[in-house]
Amino acid sequence: MTTLGHEVAEPFDDRTPIYQQIADRLRHAILAGDLPEESQVMSTTQYATTYRINPATAAKAMSALVDEGLLHKRRGVGMFVSPGARESLRTSRRETFWDDSVRPLIEAAQALDISTDQLIAYLKEQQ
């Protein structure tokens, strides 16, 4: 439902603050390549209008991504994806991938009596 840069409004969940959800959606779009380096991102005003949220909420999300070096401002023009943003995200996500994703997968497979061979065979089928 999203075409980042020019998004179609998607509902937010109640579990995390909206600004974090916006920032996470933009991180995901950058990582997936939907928002390439140097591409322009919707303005905070556009986000506020699209999602019917306070402009300060959208600005807080953008500010967090600027602080992370993923976005940069061009005075009078707008907000853009920073050079190296995708690789920066890949690097940081790789560091936590094993503990956040693989370890819980292995533990769940063990609890379900799924062997390592079965797990590997399934992963190979999915490629």
Side-chain angles (χ1 to χ4, degrees), residues 19-20 23 27 58-71:
Y19 81 91
Q20 286 181 351
R27 285 184 198 99
K60 190 171 182 179
M62 300 292 186
S63 179
L65 296 175
V66 168
D67 291 346
E68 292 172 29
L70 301 176
L71 298 181

Short mmCIF file of all heavy atoms in Angstrom, two decimals, residues 19-20 23 27 58-71:
data_model
loop_
_atom_site.label_atom_id
_atom_site.label_comp_id
_atom_site.label_asym_id
_atom_site.label_seq_id
_atom_site.Cartn_x
_atom_site.Cartn_y
_atom_site.Cartn_z
N TYR A 19 5.46 8.65 15.34
CA TYR A 19 6.71 9.12 14.72
C TYR A 19 7.68 7.97 14.52
O TYR A 19 8.41 7.93 13.52
CB TYR A 19 7.33 10.26 15.54
CG TYR A 19 8.12 9.84 16.75
CD1 TYR A 19 9.48 9.59 16.65
CD2 TYR A 19 7.51 9.67 17.99
CE1 TYR A 19 10.21 9.18 17.76
CE2 TYR A 19 8.23 9.27 19.09
CZ TYR A 19 9.58 9.03 18.97
OH TYR A 19 10.30 8.62 20.06
N GLN A 20 7.70 7.00 15.45
CA GLN A 20 8.57 5.84 15.29
C GLN A 20 8.11 4.96 14.13
O GLN A 20 8.94 4.42 13.39
CB GLN A 20 8.61 5.01 16.57
CG GLN A 20 9.41 5.64 17.68
CD GLN A 20 9.44 4.77 18.93
OE1 GLN A 20 8.74 3.78 19.06
NE2 GLN A 20 10.27 5.18 19.88
N ALA A 23 9.22 6.65 10.93
CA ALA A 23 10.66 6.46 10.77
C ALA A 23 10.96 5.02 10.35
O ALA A 23 11.78 4.78 9.46
CB ALA A 23 11.40 6.81 12.06
N ARG A 27 12.80 3.77 7.01
CA ARG A 27 13.98 2.89 7.08
C ARG A 27 13.77 1.67 6.19
O ARG A 27 14.66 1.27 5.44
CB ARG A 27 14.24 2.45 8.52
CG ARG A 27 14.86 3.50 9.39
CD ARG A 27 15.18 2.91 10.78
NE ARG A 27 15.37 3.96 11.74
CZ ARG A 27 14.44 4.38 12.61
NH1 ARG A 27 13.26 3.80 12.68
NH2 ARG A 27 14.71 5.38 13.43
N ALA A 58 5.39 14.19 12.33
CA ALA A 58 6.16 13.86 11.13
C ALA A 58 7.56 14.44 11.21
O ALA A 58 8.54 13.79 10.85
CB ALA A 58 5.43 14.37 9.89
N ALA A 59 7.65 15.67 11.72
CA ALA A 59 8.96 16.32 11.85
C ALA A 59 9.87 15.55 12.80
O ALA A 59 11.07 15.44 12.59
CB ALA A 59 8.79 17.76 12.31
N LYS A 60 9.29 15.00 13.86
CA LYS A 60 10.07 14.23 14.84
C LYS A 60 10.64 12.97 14.18
O LYS A 60 11.79 12.60 14.42
CB LYS A 60 9.19 13.86 16.03
CG LYS A 60 9.94 13.27 17.19
CD LYS A 60 9.06 13.14 18.42
CE LYS A 60 9.84 12.59 19.59
NZ LYS A 60 9.01 12.48 20.80
N ALA A 61 9.86 12.33 13.32
CA ALA A 61 10.35 11.14 12.60
C ALA A 61 11.50 11.52 11.67
O ALA A 61 12.53 10.85 11.64
CB ALA A 61 9.21 10.51 11.80
N MET A 62 11.32 12.60 10.93
CA MET A 62 12.36 13.05 10.00
C MET A 62 13.62 13.44 10.75
O MET A 62 14.73 13.11 10.33
CB MET A 62 11.87 14.24 9.18
CG MET A 62 10.66 13.97 8.35
SD MET A 62 11.04 12.85 7.01
CE MET A 62 9.49 12.89 6.16
N SER A 63 13.46 14.11 11.86
CA SER A 63 14.59 14.53 12.67
C SER A 63 15.40 13.33 13.16
O SER A 63 16.64 13.35 13.16
CB SER A 63 14.10 15.37 13.85
OG SER A 63 15.18 15.76 14.66
N ALA A 64 14.69 12.29 13.58
CA ALA A 64 15.38 11.07 14.03
C ALA A 64 16.21 10.47 12.90
O ALA A 64 17.36 10.04 13.12
CB ALA A 64 14.36 10.05 14.55
N LEU A 65 15.68 10.47 11.68
CA LEU A 65 16.41 9.91 10.55
C LEU A 65 17.57 10.80 10.12
O LEU A 65 18.60 10.30 9.65
CB LEU A 65 15.44 9.64 9.39
CG LEU A 65 14.37 8.59 9.71
CD1 LEU A 65 13.39 8.47 8.55
CD2 LEU A 65 14.98 7.24 10.04
N VAL A 66 17.41 12.09 10.29
CA VAL A 66 18.52 13.02 10.04
C VAL A 66 19.63 12.75 11.05
O VAL A 66 20.81 12.66 10.69
CB VAL A 66 18.05 14.49 10.09
CG1 VAL A 66 19.25 15.44 10.12
CG2 VAL A 66 17.15 14.81 8.91
N ASP A 67 19.25 12.59 12.32
CA ASP A 67 20.23 12.31 13.37
C ASP A 67 20.99 11.00 13.11
O ASP A 67 22.16 10.89 13.45
CB ASP A 67 19.56 12.23 14.74
CG ASP A 67 19.05 13.58 15.23
OD1 ASP A 67 19.44 14.62 14.63
OD2 ASP A 67 18.26 13.60 16.19
N GLU A 68 20.32 10.03 12.49
CA GLU A 68 20.94 8.75 12.17
C GLU A 68 21.78 8.82 10.90
O GLU A 68 22.47 7.87 10.53
CB GLU A 68 19.88 7.66 11.98
CG GLU A 68 19.15 7.29 13.24
CD GLU A 68 17.98 6.35 12.99
OE1 GLU A 68 18.02 5.57 12.01
OE2 GLU A 68 17.01 6.40 13.77
N GLY A 69 21.69 9.94 10.19
CA GLY A 69 22.45 10.11 8.95
C GLY A 69 21.78 9.48 7.74
O GLY A 69 22.39 9.36 6.69
N LEU A 70 20.52 9.09 7.88
CA LEU A 70 19.81 8.44 6.78
C LEU A 70 19.15 9.45 5.84
O LEU A 70 18.98 9.17 4.65
CB LEU A 70 18.76 7.47 7.32
CG LEU A 70 19.31 6.36 8.22
CD1 LEU A 70 18.17 5.52 8.77
CD2 LEU A 70 20.31 5.50 7.46
N LEU A 71 18.79 10.59 6.37
CA LEU A 71 18.20 11.67 5.57
C LEU A 71 19.02 12.94 5.77
O LEU A 71 19.69 13.08 6.79
CB LEU A 71 16.76 11.96 5.99
CG LEU A 71 15.71 10.86 5.85
CD1 LEU A 71 14.35 11.37 6.31
CD2 LEU A 71 15.63 10.34 4.43
#
